[in-house]
Structures are given as structure tokens and as C-alpha cells.
Amino acid sequence: MTTKTEPATLEDAHNAARSRRPASNAARSEWVAFHLTNAGMYRTVADYDRWHHHEALYWADYEERQAKRLSSPSGEDDSGAK
């Protein structure tokens, strides 16, 4: 079960992510942590908000890809796209 601070719907998750978004000039490590936290949050929401299950899983995967891209030395993903 979610607590008061954990989003239970996809809309709540989007709002939570927006409220925690780092400054545009934040360190890369801060952005990686932000994306990984979002990925976990969206995976949890996928279990609770069954009407948006697949969309929440999409966002979880997206956030994981962003974290992976930012974690690579060149800032590129496996495909070479920036």
C-alpha cells in the first residue's frame, strides 16, 4: 500500500517528478539519481494505477534509459543517439 508521500496514480507520479526535478545546471549525478528514483516510482505506480499500467511501465523504462544515457561517459545510449 502507498503512504501519503508515494504517488498512487500516474498523474500523481508526474506531479511528484515535476516537483523534484533538479535545476537544469545540476550535476549529472543528481540527474541520474532523479531518473532512477522516477523509474522506481513509475514501476510502483504501475501496480496501483491499473488503468495506466502500461503507460506507467513505459515511463519507468524511459527514466531508466535516461539514467543509463547520463551514466555513460559520452552521454550517449547504446545506439549512439544523444
Side-chain angles (χ1 to χ4, degrees):
M1 182 117 211
T2 61
T3 65
K4 279 186 171 182
T5 59
E6 294 175 337
T9 66
L10 185 59
E11 181 180 3
D12 292 344
H14 287 323
N15 290 334
R18 271 192 293 278
S19 71
R20 291 183 296 95
R21 185 178 172 91
S24 59
N25 62 346
R28 185 178 277 209
S29 60
E30 191 174 340
W31 279 100
V32 170
F34 168 74
H35 288 298
L36 290 175
T37 298
N38 286 348
M41 175 182 63
Y42 284 121
R43 288 208 184 282
T44 299
V45 165
D47 290 337
Y48 292 109
D49 188 355
R50 299 306 291 176
W51 287 103
H52 296 103
H53 175 78
H54 292 97
E55 189 177 357
L57 290 178
Y58 162 81
W59 283 107
D61 289 341
Y62 172 83
E63 294 288 359
E64 287 170 350
R65 287 192 311 271
Q66 293 303 309
K68 184 177 180 181
R69 179 181 62 83
L70 291 170
S71 295
S72 72
S74 65
E76 295 179 358
D77 62 18
D78 291 339
S79 69
K82 282 198 173 188

